[in-house]
Amino acid sequence: MIEPFASRPAPKLVFGPGVLRELPSCVREAGGTSVFLVSDTGIARVGHLGTAQRLLEAAGIPVSVYDQSRENPTESDAAACRDFAREKRFDCIVAIGGGSSMDTAKACNFLLTNGGAMRDYHGYGKATKPMLPLIAIPTTAGTGSECQSYALVSRDDTHEKMACGD
């Protein structure tokens, strides 16, 4: 049997069967009152996105959904997510899916809060303004991108992968 656990150091990790039910309290603990939920069409199709949205809305947390994350996101993908998000009102970002959804959400966070283009953040510590709280919910076992602050985004022109962290 898998034993549930929650860690306290940053990042806080919550693990175990059924812990998605804790999403509303995690949002509130991060200071959020409304959520921008970022994912992809596959996660939406299998119902995980809808489950997260229903849990948040049932707890009185308004949700705006972006389900157009693409595999190996580019600068253009990050900008498209940012452009969609600009029309919404939220104070917390939740990414659900694989690493690409998380990278898209993190990249959007850079662009929304600090402006510019993703290439401005290639490297570490280049954001000059605070970013929004971000909660990552992995649906795959992979690189552990949910546990670190870097967004991996490719340049549109050269396809070079940029690690952008803060």
Side-chain angles (χ1 to χ4, degrees), residues 11 17 153:
V153 178

Side-chain angles (χ1 to χ4, degrees), residues 98-130:
S100 294
S101 291
M102 292 178 217
D103 287 335
T104 300
K106 292 173 191 176
C108 179
N109 202 354
F110 273 104
L111 298 178
L112 278 174
T113 58
N114 282 267
M118 281 313 298
R119 60 186 62 210
D120 300 332
Y121 305 104
H122 188 178
Y124 181 76
K126 297 191 177 174
T128 59
K129 299 175 186 169

Side-chain angles (χ1 to χ4, degrees), residues 11-14 19-39 49 52 56 61 90-98 101-106 109 131-139 145-149:
K12 177 183 176 184
L13 304 176
V14 180
V19 297
L20 186 60
R21 290 186 302 263
E22 296 182 31
L23 180 57
S25 63
C26 289
V27 167
R28 288 191 179 103
E29 185 178 315
T33 60
S34 56
V35 165
F36 183 51
L37 188 56
V38 178
S39 193
L49 184 62
L56 291 164
I61 299 172
F90 57 90
D91 54 13
C92 183
I93 299 173
V94 175
I96 183 168
S101 291
M102 292 178 217
D103 287 335
T104 300
K106 292 173 191 176
N109 202 354
M131 289 190 270
L132 295 170
L134 186 137
I135 296 169
I137 304 168
T139 58
S145 61
E146 68 278 6
C147 293
Q148 49 84 20
S149 62

